[in-house]
Amino acid sequence: MILPTPVSGNQIYNGDISLADGGSIVFTQGNDSTFNSFTGNLTMTGGTFTINQKRALVAASSGTTTWDISGGTFAYTHSDGTKNGTFRFGTAWKNNTPTWTGDYTATLNLSNNASFSADRFILGFSDYGVADKTLTANMNMSGSASVTLGASAGGEYSHIGSGLGVVATLTMTEDSTLTASGRLLVGSRAGKGNLNMNGNSKLTSTNQLTIGDEASSLGTVTLSDNAQLTVSQIRMGSGSTENNVLNVNGNATLTVSGAVILGDGGLTSATPPASMNGNGTLNIGGGTATLGSLTIGYGVSKLVGEDTYIGKGTGSVNLTSGSLTVNGTVMVGTGDLSTSIYTGTGTLTQSGGTLTIAGDAGIRKGSTVTLSGGTKSEWKKTTNVWAGGTLNVTGGSGITFNTLAVHPEGMVNFSNATVVINSGSWAGNVVLNSGTVTMKNDFGIASSNTETMAVTTVKGGTFNCAQIQVGFAENTHGKLVVEGGNVIATYLQTGRYNNAVGYIEISGGELETKQGVRIARNTEGYLTMSGGKLKVGTDGSSENALILGYEGTGSYGQLDMTGGTIEVTTNSGTSNASILIGSAGQGVANIGQAEGSTTLVQTNTFILGNNKGANGTMNLTGGTVTGKNMYVGYKGTGTATISAGTVHFTNDLYTGREGTGTLNIEGGDVSGAYFCIGYADGASGTVNVTGGTLNVMENLRVGLNGTGTMTVSGGATSITTKNLYLPDNGSSLTFVMDDNQFTPITVTGTTELYGTLTADFGGGLQFTKDESLTLIKSTSSTASGLTDSDYFTVSKSGSNIVATVRTDLLPDDRSNRGVAEISADNVFTFYTGLWEDPDLLDLFVTWLNDANKNLNAQAVDLGGVLVQVPTNSFYALWDFSEFNTATGANVVFSQTPIVPEPASWMLLLLGLCVLRRKRR
């Protein structure tokens, strides 16, 4: 049957059509401007139905229309083959005029190997929608039915649900197939479109699939039950803010050879609206999805004339089971990174299944990737977490990253997961709460040029890695914080290039390096400990050392420790484990113990000032430092001040081994087997003991091949040694009486003194009955070169070394004589004999305290006067004989300035005081 051809205008065909086997309907349009509208039902069980015209519609103003094609062939083409005609099934359109008198439903059923082909096909169409009416278009394919779209002239594009008020659904099942060469849109121009595939159905397109195109369009695609969807591209939510969704369930297969964009900002039209926002979601609850590339949230701007149009896309991927493979790149959020003007945002969540990313990946500003479960998550190239992006790894196993790069202001959280990373460079913030993270190669904290502090925090779990570089690139600041858990590294260092500063803070957990820790390589580095444990050098290699001020003369490394444990050791017990404070540059170690904390530092060798030109300083105010050897000034300059705590080394204590060393013992306990001050040629060592205890189990050498100086002041200390040696090479041992206190050295073995040994006093002198002090208590001694001081005669008495007060300084009538001394801190101590009249002493004190004299005097129990004078050091002898014999007299003193002349006189009202001055 050949339907009549209109000469002009539009043709409407009412009524029902039936077509069986052997039948044939052919319609050929004669006028290109016309169209044909079919308003009735079609039943086709066989034969052929051919429409060849510009456009054709199955339309009505209301009610229902049903086409059942259960056999035969239905074909729609354009008459000249050069333009794509359009076949619209289900439209409220009649005679070129929209006709909406009520809801309208059109259904196209293809079954039983029936076939349908069209250049361009629209399922559900309206140019003029009505808000309170709905046009429903359904297409059901079953029984191996087949559809071919875009067959001639390359095709254009086909729609499922186009226009306001349209709801269109294409359902494919039972081995049905759809092949398209043109673009396929599911939900367009404010319409709602649905594509449901199951039952081994197949849809194949060499072009793009768009789900939700423009304005308030809504598209939903669902694959399940062995369905197969194969397209070249997918663009979802292209300017549509509706919840456009692609679901892959069961054993379905999604294959996209090119790009997949979820949440496209749109802006494809010549004059787009001022702003457009796209929204798209890919849910994989089973089956297999293979994509060429993936963009989740696409932001874009477009300049039209002088106007800028903005599009912000929002996309999401949810993988709960099945598998997702992306052969190319994955971008989660795109657009302008510096502002939020047109930044697309996205989320990728894996709670199950397997994920494989073959290309580079990026997480952009405001976007998040969450890996919370599944059996595999493999990121094969570089994964960038950009500023404002977040990566959360909260569960799952088999999670691997080839390279994880966390850029400034990026954020990564690890919890309850097992993660393997081949290499990493972190300029942003990373937190390990629990689980296990293994870094196979080196990685850097603060690895890109930025002023932002990059912080990696370990609160729990285990972090395994090769080398950790904290503060790497120029002008960066990096920090490693260990609050709990375990960090296990081959090597750890801070600072590398110009102005790169690294910080390590340990308050709990354990940080272990199999080899060394280098604080400040060329620049600055800081290690702070208030708890936890730092364990260095567990593999027995030659690199086992904790070093402050590692490389470069300008490097500066500092340790501030108030609690916790530092253990530098080797499993093999070799002697190469060491702590070097100032190896090439400057190192400072401040070690104390906060209340309620325990501080312990253990090592084989502890060195202050390792190399020539280096400077190392230790200030110990609490805690314990132990090991085998301690060198204060190994080849460089070292200074150690101990005011509290314990220092114990089982072998050697060197002060000035080959360099220059100073050890100040003000408190605490210091002990070692061998103590040498000034060891090698050219070395210089100085030890000042003012408090605490010093116990040397074997030999105490004040100078060996180098020069040693040891000064013992006061009596708030205890010094013991088995053997004491003082060579005649410029080395000296000095005892100082301070505030009436004095500390001898107790020697249980041999004492050999050939250098300079002197006795002196600083804050005052209290004489004993025999007027002698035992400087060295020894069971066996050899002494030569003993040197008298201004106040003592030093000599050997039996096996001891004693100092006897010089009698030439004390006249026989000691009840009338006194000795005065101004020490380095300007304290003038004056001790006299007995005062016959105690009131005279009070008058003396009163006079010295007169405000005009700028002195501070007080009486002391020994009958002396303590006077604070502002300048000059001297000692003096007073003759108080006439003064003391006079009683009841009016006493007046006049002050005589302290001047450097050899003598001066001060006239007293009741006697003459003779003053001898001596400049020291």
Side-chain angles (χ1 to χ4, degrees):
M1 178 177 67
I2 300 179
L3 297 179
T5 301
V7 175
S8 63
N10 305 310
Q11 184 66 51
I12 300 175
Y13 294 93
N14 296 315
D16 299 333
I17 301 175
S18 296
L19 184 63
D21 290 340
S24 176
I25 299 176
V26 178
F27 176 78
T28 300
Q29 178 180 335
N31 189 324
D32 191 59
S33 66
T34 62
F35 68 92
N36 286 277
S37 178
F38 299 89
T39 60
N41 301 315
L42 169 66
T43 301
M44 183 174 176
T45 59
T48 60
F49 185 4
T50 303
I51 301 175
N52 185 357
Q53 66 173 74
K54 179 179 179 180
R55 49 188 171 176
L57 295 80
V58 174
S61 59
S62 63
T64 62
T65 299
T66 302
W67 282 26
D68 284 316
I69 303 176
S70 59
T73 301
F74 174 66
Y76 172 82
T77 62
H78 191 273
S79 57
D80 61 11
T82 59
K83 297 180 181 180
N84 295 318
T86 304
F87 178 66
R88 301 168 182 174
F89 187 90
T91 178
W93 182 275
K94 184 177 180 181
N95 198 22
N96 208 22
T97 303
T99 58
W100 288 77
T101 60
D103 294 339
Y104 174 49
T105 300
T107 303
L108 172 60
N109 298 315
L110 296 175
S111 61
N112 239 5
N113 293 305
S115 66
F116 166 52
S117 63
D119 293 327
R120 184 184 181 196
F121 174 63
I122 299 178
L123 178 65
F125 172 80
S126 173
D127 265 342
Y128 304 94
V130 179
D132 61 348
K133 297 179 177 61
T134 302
L135 189 156
T136 302
N138 299 312
M139 180 173 177
N140 301 306
M141 297 176 61
S142 62
S144 300
S146 64
V147 172
T148 302
L149 301 179
S152 65
E156 190 178 353
Y157 49 88
S158 298
H159 300 251
I160 300 175
S162 177
L164 181 65
V166 175
V167 178
T169 302
L170 169 60
T171 301
M172 299 178 62
T173 187
E174 296 179 4
D175 298 310
S176 59
T177 61
L178 189 153
T179 303
S181 59
R183 183 180 171 198
L184 179 62
L185 292 81
V186 180
S188 63
R189 299 172 60 250
K192 295 178 174 59
N194 302 290
L195 170 61
N196 300 317
M197 297 179 61
N198 56 70
N200 294 305
S201 60
K202 297 179 182 179
L203 191 156
T204 303
S205 174
T206 57
N207 213 306
Q208 181 186 105
L209 171 64
T210 300
I211 305 173
D213 182 63
E214 297 183 11
S216 59
S217 301
L218 173 60
T220 302
V221 177
T222 301
L223 311 179
S224 60
D225 190 20
N226 294 306
Q228 300 178 39
L229 174 60
T230 303
V231 295
S232 63
Q233 293 181 349
I234 291 180
R235 187 177 293 266
M236 188 180 303
S238 184
S240 169
T241 59
E242 296 295 325
N243 188 26
N244 302 285
V245 178
L246 170 57
N247 301 307
V248 182
N249 300 317
N251 296 318
T253 301
L254 170 65
T255 304
V256 185
S257 59
V260 174
I261 300 176
L262 307 177
D264 177 11
L267 304 179
T268 57
S269 61
T271 55
S275 64
M276 296 182 68
N277 298 300
N279 194 329
T281 300
L282 171 61
N283 297 316
I284 303 175
T288 302
T290 304
L291 315 178
S293 65
L294 176 62
T295 299
I296 308 172
Y298 181 70
V300 63
S301 68
K302 185 175 183 179
L303 181 64
V304 180
E306 297 181 354
D307 298 322
T308 300
Y309 301 93
I310 305 302
K312 299 179 181 179
T314 301
S316 61
V317 173
N318 301 300
L319 174 60
T320 57
S321 64
S323 69
L324 170 61
T325 300
V326 182
N327 293 320
T329 61
V330 172
M331 299 304 298
V332 185
T334 64
D336 188 352
L337 300 181
S338 61
T339 69
S340 58
I341 294 177
Y342 56 94
T343 300
T345 58
T347 60
L348 190 159
T349 303
Q350 180 188 8
S351 59
T354 64
L355 174 64
T356 303
I357 309 298
D360 293 334
I363 307 171
R364 299 283 188 171
K365 187 175 182 179
S367 298
T368 302
V369 171
T370 300
L371 309 178
S372 60
T375 57
K376 183 181 81 170
S377 187
E378 184 177 8
W379 305 68
K380 293 186 175 183
K381 289 189 177 180
T382 300
T383 301
N384 293 286
V385 183
W386 299 97
T390 301
L391 170 62
N392 297 315
V393 185
T394 61
S397 60
I399 302 172
T400 61
F401 293 91
N402 182 60
T403 300
L404 182 59
V406 186
H407 294 260
E409 301 180 36
M411 185 72 206
V412 177
N413 297 296
F414 295 106
S415 300
N416 301 318
T418 300
V419 182
V420 176
I421 306 169
N422 289 331
S423 63
S425 57
W426 300 350
N429 297 316
V430 179
V431 177
L432 173 60
N433 296 289
S434 57
T436 300
V437 176
T438 300
M439 181 80 69
K440 289 186 175 181
N441 295 305
D442 302 345
F443 87 103
I445 302 174
S447 56
S448 63
N449 196 326
T450 175
E451 295 181 356
T452 303
M453 173 75 79
V455 182
T456 296
T457 303
V458 180
K459 297 182 177 182
T462 300
F463 185 23
N464 293 287
C465 52
Q467 175 176 309
I468 304 176
Q469 176 69 56
V470 185
F472 184 75
E474 289 188 4
N475 304 314
T476 59
H477 292 73
K479 181 186 293 186
L480 172 62
V481 179
V482 182
E483 300 176 356
N486 296 277
V487 178
I488 304 171
T490 301
Y491 194 84
L492 171 64
Q493 66 179 358
T494 70
R496 180 65 183 274
Y497 297 107
N498 186 36
N499 295 326
V501 182
Y503 303 84
I504 300 174
E505 297 180 0
I506 305 174
S507 59
E510 181 174 297
L511 171 57
E512 174 188 341
T513 65
K514 297 177 182 178
Q515 295 180 14
V517 175
R518 311 291 190 253
I519 306 298
R521 181 177 181 181
N522 296 316
T523 58
E524 296 179 37
Y526 299 87
L527 170 61
T528 302
M529 288 193 67
S530 58
K533 186 174 186 179
L534 173 61
K535 192 173 183 180
V536 182
T538 58
D539 70 352
S541 73
S542 60
E543 296 294 323
N544 296 330
L546 167 61
I547 302 176
L548 305 180
Y550 169 55
E551 185 178 288
T553 57
S555 63
Y556 178 84
Q558 181 171 314
L559 166 65
D560 293 298
M561 186 176 186
T562 58
T565 299
I566 295 178
E567 181 180 312
V568 183
T569 184
T570 62
N571 290 333
S572 60
T574 57
S575 61
N576 52 21
S578 56
I579 295 177
L580 308 180
I581 311 298
S583 180
Q586 183 177 358
V588 176
N590 301 312
I591 303 173
Q593 184 165 295
E595 184 177 356
S597 299
T598 300
T599 300
L600 176 62
V601 179
Q602 296 174 304
T603 186
N604 183 80
T605 303
F606 194 102
I607 298 176
L608 300 171
N610 184 47
N611 293 308
K612 186 176 180 180
N615 193 306
T617 302
M618 180 183 75
N619 300 303
L620 181 67
T621 59
T624 301
V625 179
T626 67
K628 291 183 178 180
N629 306 293
M630 180 175 181
Y631 304 143
V632 182
Y634 184 71
K635 294 181 180 179
T637 300
T639 302
T641 300
I642 301 164
S643 57
T646 300
V647 174
H648 174 69
F649 287 85
T650 58
N651 289 349
D652 299 331
L653 285 172
Y654 288 95
T655 301
R657 191 180 191 277
E658 298 178 36
T660 301
T662 300
L663 173 60
N664 302 309
I665 304 176
E666 301 173 352
D669 301 304
V670 180
S671 60
Y674 300 90
F675 190 8
C676 184
I677 307 169
Y679 173 76
D681 288 337
S684 175
T686 300
V687 175
N688 301 306
V689 184
T690 59
T693 65
L694 173 62
N695 181 24
V696 182
M697 280 74 77
E698 294 294 335
N699 301 331
L700 171 57
R701 294 185 180 272
V702 185
L704 185 60
N705 297 315
T707 303
T709 300
M710 182 174 180
T711 302
V712 181
S713 301
T717 186
S718 171
I719 302 175
T720 60
T721 182
K722 181 178 181 181
N723 303 306
L724 175 63
Y725 301 96
L726 178 65
D728 185 13
N729 66 347
S731 299
S732 65
L733 174 60
T734 301
F735 293 85
V736 178
M737 171 74 74
D738 194 2
D739 293 336
N740 297 324
Q741 297 185 32
F742 174 78
T743 298
I745 297 178
T746 301
V747 183
T748 60
T750 300
T751 302
E752 295 184 3
L753 305 176
Y754 300 100
T756 301
L757 185 146
T758 60
D760 208 338
F761 67 91
L765 177 65
Q766 177 184 353
F767 301 138
T768 62
K769 291 182 178 179
D770 58 4
E771 296 165 351
S772 65
L773 306 169
T774 301
L775 305 179
I776 299 174
K777 298 178 180 180
S778 175
T779 59
S780 174
S781 65
T782 300
S784 64
L786 305 181
T787 302
D788 296 342
S789 68
D790 293 332
Y791 311 104
F792 297 96
T793 299
V794 182
S795 62
K796 181 180 179 182
S797 176
S799 297
N800 296 331
I801 306 299
V802 299
T804 304
V805 178
R806 289 175 53 179
T807 57
D808 60 326
L809 298 181
L810 296 174
D812 292 337
D813 185 5
R814 296 175 190 170
S815 65
N816 297 322
R817 304 293 180 178
V819 179
E821 161 74 5
I822 298 179
S823 66
D825 56 358
N826 293 327
V827 175
F828 174 37
T829 306
F830 174 47
Y831 291 98
T832 75
L834 298 175
W835 292 75
E836 294 183 2
D837 186 349
D839 292 338
L840 297 179
L841 177 61
D842 294 336
L843 291 173
F844 187 28
V845 172
T846 301
W847 177 81
L848 292 172
N849 281 325
D850 185 277
N852 296 325
K853 298 177 179 61
N854 195 29
L855 301 176
N856 180 22
Q858 62 183 20
V860 296
D861 293 339
L862 300 175
V865 178
L866 179 65
V867 183
Q868 177 73 47
V869 299
T871 58
N872 297 320
S873 295
F874 69 100
Y875 73 88
L877 295 178
W878 272 268
D879 182 353
F880 286 108
S881 57
E882 294 184 20
F883 177 79
N884 289 338
T885 58
T887 58
N890 184 19
V891 180
V892 178
F893 292 96
S894 63
Q895 182 182 15
T896 300
I898 300 173
V899 294
E901 289 80 13
S904 65
W905 297 87
M906 179 174 64
L907 180 64
L908 303 178
L909 178 64
L910 296 176
L912 182 64
C913 175
V914 181
L915 174 64
R916 289 179 57 198
R917 291 191 182 93
K918 179 180 178 182
R919 298 292 296 172
R920 300 188 61 191

